[in-house]
Amino acid sequence: MPKSSQVDSQEPLIQIQNLNVEYRTVRGAVRAVENVSFDLYPNEVFGLAGESGCGKTTIANAMTRLLKPPAYITGGKLMFRDIDILQLDAERLRAFRWDQLAIVFQSAMNALNPVLTIGNQIIDAMQAHQAISYAEARSHAKRLLRTVGIDVARVDSYPHQLSGGMRQRAVIAIALALNPELIIMDEPTTALDVVVQKQILQEIKDLREQFGFSILFITHDLSLLVEISDRIGIMYAGKFVEAGPAREIFSDPKHPYTNRLMNSFPTVHGPRRELLGIPGAPPDLIDPPAGCRFHPRCELAIAGECERIVPPLIRIGGQRDVACHLVKEAEAAS
């Protein structure tokens, strides 16, 4: 997996190597994540993009060990510096979560406890991991709310008394409570209008500069992802199909799926253009198609090759990884 120039001299904060996750059903095993590998570096934002069901959230839940049966991690390694996440026992895992790795879930209303005030939910997170008095924790909770743009008077408000944007900010405040090195953000702005979405994104950028944490940012909107990410991994049907520097992928997508995904969302800036969308539907991961998994939906598929041969993830140009026979053919021609 390519590194951005700003992290070339650093050791990875987290390394994911050949991760495999499956969901076991009465019909068979759903291979939700298959041989996925990438590194994430200190103070970096790595984005994961792809359609619903491609494996993005499954990766996040695997990293935090939140997967429950019928989901199983069937292979691979998850290393956080020198910590093997998959080998942590229950007590060490509890200490690891929130203290070193936190997560912001997609639906803030579902993530928050409806019968506890926002302040008490932040306080609970701190007191579960630190020897801190209620008064100290409450004071810190107020500072966190102010940091994410919420009036401190809201410390005693319940989730239903807050707007959608405020609830999302509150969840981010909880994630920041113990100053973790890595925060996973799973579609944190999906349910918000574009104005609030823009505000949240700017606050995330400001908070990263202030606190210096890394982010794994998950979304299906590639145009949104490029605004915040240093590097991007594009997923399709449980696999990476392209990865590299965010701006390079946005300006020159190499995989047909990346190109289609990019043209499925309107741009905030620039001229209006026709949205192309992606024909067809993602494959059944119990019985995925042979060869390239995208070939049944790809108008550029090479007959006799794409439907038979699985394209390897190959390095091109020093900074990009692409799994596409078209790229291999172009590289050979040049």
Side-chain angles (χ1 to χ4, degrees), residues 16-38:
I16 297 178
Q17 301 173 359
N18 299 317
L19 179 65
N20 288 274
V21 181
E22 64 180 38
Y23 293 84
R24 295 170 186 170
T25 73
V26 293
R27 292 181 54 224
V30 177
R31 290 170 284 181
V33 174
E34 190 166 330
N35 292 323
V36 167
S37 300
F38 66 93

Side-chain angles (χ1 to χ4, degrees), residues 251-273:
S251 62
D252 184 24
K254 297 295 186 183
H255 198 284
Y257 175 69
T258 307
N259 188 51
R260 281 287 190 172
L261 191 66
M262 228 168 41
N263 286 309
S264 298
F265 295 93
T267 58
V268 177
H269 308 289
R272 290 187 299 176
R273 55 182 172 78

